[in-house]
């Protein structure tokens, strides 16, 4: 059996959903390890260093939100795809704020799951060959995937990094939320654009007064030097 695409950790307590996830991810060439309990899942994440984690929110032992927070607090930036049930919108937003990279709402098609895992991984790898850039007190190096504020590294999730790197590539250029979803998240067509706002507010919180992200009312966002 080939595991050329790496190991995906699935943390899901509904057996039939976990079985489908395992089947479809394995079919795409991923190795798959399944845990049905949040605490066991977190231990597996630390032990196995998966390339991505598909994480259910409602779990015994430790819920997905707490799981995600524990992971990020420990400095683990493995891409996390959060799986939420209908009506868990507050959890979904909280999960993104706590460092999940994306979410999927139940019920979802297995093909959608596979596509989303691939997108999260592609995003974590970042765009190839981009030149270093920066705006104001912020510098962005796409090769080492580091952002520095006044020379000091800032810890960002893969998605946060990709968003800020995308915005500073062309300072002053204005992007719509739909455009950012397509170009940063890889989602063509319409999707919940509030996700962009959530990630922008996280970046602003982490970058503080060095944040170059400017809201362009009624349009979207752009990166400009806040000191000018
Ligand atoms: Ca569940």
């Amino acid at each position: 059996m080939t595991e050329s695409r790496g190991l995906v950790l699935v943390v899901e307590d509904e057996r039939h959903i976990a079985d489908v996830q395992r089947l479809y991810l394995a079919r795409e060439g991923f190795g798959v390890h399944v845990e049905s309990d949040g605490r066991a899942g977190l231990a597996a994440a630390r032990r196995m260093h998966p390339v991505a984690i598909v994480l259910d929110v409602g779990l015994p032992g430790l819920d997905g939100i707490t799981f995600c927070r524990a992971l990020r607090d420990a400095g683990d930036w493995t891409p996390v795809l959060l799986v939420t049930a209908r009506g868990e919108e507050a959890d979904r937003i909280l999960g993104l704020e706590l460092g999940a990279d994306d979410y999927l709402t139940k019920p979802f098609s297995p093909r959608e799951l596979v596509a989303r895992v691939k997108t999260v991984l592609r995003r974590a790898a970042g765009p190839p060959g981009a030149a270093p850039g920066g705006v104001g007190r912020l510098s962005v190096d796409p090769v080492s995937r580091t952002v520095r504020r006044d020379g000091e590294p800032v810890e960002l999730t893969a998605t946060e990094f990709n968003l800020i790197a995308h915005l500073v590539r062309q300072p002053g250029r204005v992007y719509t939320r739909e455009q950012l979803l397509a170009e940063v998240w890889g989602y063509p067509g319409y999707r919940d654009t509030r996700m962009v706002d959530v990630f922008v507010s996280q970046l602003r919180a982490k970058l503080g007064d060095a944040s170059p992200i400017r809201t362009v009312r009624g349009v979207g966002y752009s990166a400009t030097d806040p000191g000018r």
Side-chain angles (χ1 to χ4, degrees):
M1 201 174 131
T2 61
E3 293 189 1
S4 56
R5 297 192 114 133
L7 180 78
V8 173
L9 172 63
V10 169
V11 191
E12 172 61 68
D13 60 323
E14 284 177 73
R15 181 68 186 276
H16 67 284
I17 295 180
D19 285 348
V20 170
Q21 291 179 338
R22 182 200 291 276
L23 180 72
Y24 278 79
L25 288 168
R27 197 178 278 178
E28 291 294 319
F30 290 104
V32 182
H33 178 81
V34 177
E35 293 287 353
S36 57
D37 171 279
R39 222 169 284 279
L42 189 59
R46 288 174 174 158
R47 193 171 69 241
M48 303 176 126
H49 303 288
V51 293
I53 304 172
V54 178
L55 180 62
D56 186 30
V57 168
L59 287 169
L62 191 73
D63 67 86
I65 303 296
T66 313
F67 183 118
C68 200
R69 191 200 315 246
L71 202 67
R72 298 315 188 213
D73 282 352
D76 185 332
W77 304 97
T78 307
V80 169
L81 177 62
L82 208 60
V83 180
T84 63
R86 260 182 221 291
E88 289 179 336
E89 156 140 321
D91 281 346
R92 191 170 81 206
I93 300 293
L94 185 60
L96 294 174
E97 285 170 355
L98 291 174
D101 292 275
D102 202 353
Y103 67 89
L104 200 58
T105 306
K106 290 178 183 175
F108 52 84
S109 78
R111 293 215 329 246
E112 193 184 357
L113 166 79
V114 168
R116 209 58 71 72
V117 167
K118 285 183 183 168
T119 306
V120 160
L121 287 173
R122 204 163 41 238
R123 241 186 270 150
V135 174
R137 294 154 55 199
L138 208 68
S139 65
V140 178
D141 181 1
V143 177
S144 62
R145 295 183 61 79
T146 46
V147 166
R148 289 173 187 275
R149 174 197 154 132
D150 299 329
E152 290 298 313
V154 183
E155 288 210 323
L156 301 178
T157 67
T159 309
E160 288 165 359
F161 177 84
N162 289 347
L163 179 57
I164 191 69
H166 196 78
L167 287 169
V168 305
R169 201 167 299 148
Q170 287 179 274
R173 183 177 159 189
V174 180
Y175 296 87
T176 65
R177 291 172 179 79
E178 287 80 5
Q179 224 176 342
L180 290 170
L181 279 176
E183 294 169 7
V184 177
W185 275 261
Y187 300 141
Y190 178 81
R191 218 180 118 84
D192 183 3
T193 53
R194 272 185 59 193
M195 192 156 82
V196 178
D197 302 331
V198 170
F199 277 87
V200 164
S201 58
Q202 277 162 223
L203 275 170
R204 282 178 170 153
K206 287 188 178 182
L207 302 175
D209 59 3
S211 169
I213 307 175
R214 184 167 65 94
T215 303
V216 183
R217 277 185 73 119
V219 188
Y221 297 104
S222 76
T224 51
D225 186 348
R228 281 197 297 180

